[in-house]
Amino acid sequence: MAKYLLLKHYRGAPAAVNDAPMDQWTPEEVSAHIQYMRDFADRLKETGEFVDEQALAPEGTWVRYDGEGRPPVTDGPFAETKDLIAGWMVIDVDSHERALELAGELSAAPGADGKPIHEWLELRPFYGSTPTITE
């Protein structure tokens, strides 16, 4: 088994097919999207492939160590992660191909008008968990 991170981005990836921002969706569309995510996670729990997931709040602060006895730096010319990372899921699967399959399925979560988003997801293996890539 190999663990992978499925990383959902607000921005920073190519535009999704159904590219309406979530803050423009109806409450029913948001609920349908969240339910899809819950159902997806529940199925993976049944197969033993689910590890963890979390949606992230839009608030966030960059922090950097700035030397002994100095307060941490909390600003800078950085891209805001709150604008980039929407949430994540960790899966534990038998193969890279299975991780790709699940990422593709998760990409089909509904968005505006109930249509699949076709969003881009970043799929990354955990360090030390080298996948066999056959593509």
Side-chain angles (χ1 to χ4, degrees):
M1 300 286 278
K3 289 184 180 162
Y4 287 85
L5 174 68
L6 295 169
L7 190 57
K8 294 176 63 76
H9 293 270
Y10 285 118
R11 289 189 277 178
V17 172
N18 186 359
D19 197 26
M22 189 180 250
D23 63 359
Q24 295 176 11
W25 298 359
T26 67
E28 295 78 17
E29 291 166 344
V30 172
S31 292
H33 180 80
I34 292 169
Q35 189 61 52
Y36 182 96
M37 302 293 290
R38 286 182 181 143
D39 292 345
F40 182 82
D42 287 344
R43 281 197 341 270
L44 295 184
K45 288 174 186 174
E46 290 174 12
T47 64
E49 296 171 308
F50 178 84
V51 177
D52 199 5
E53 71 175 333
Q54 198 62 243
L56 300 174
E59 300 82 24
T61 303
W62 282 92
V63 178
R64 182 192 77 193
Y65 173 76
D66 200 34
E68 194 64 40
R70 299 178 68 174
V73 175
T74 58
D75 61 0
F78 308 112
E80 293 286 341
T81 25
K82 64 186 178 187
D83 292 338
L84 300 176
I85 301 171
W88 51 268
M89 180 179 286
V90 176
I91 57 174
D92 195 358
V93 294
D94 288 327
S95 67
H96 181 74
E97 289 75 16
R98 177 65 175 153
L100 289 172
E101 177 186 337
L102 293 174
E105 187 177 335
L106 188 58
S107 170
D113 299 322
K115 297 178 183 172
I117 297 173
H118 297 270
E119 71 180 326
W120 287 89
L121 298 171
E122 186 175 354
L123 177 65
R124 296 183 63 180
F126 277 35
Y127 185 74
S129 184
T130 308
T132 302
I133 301 174
T134 59
E135 42 188 74

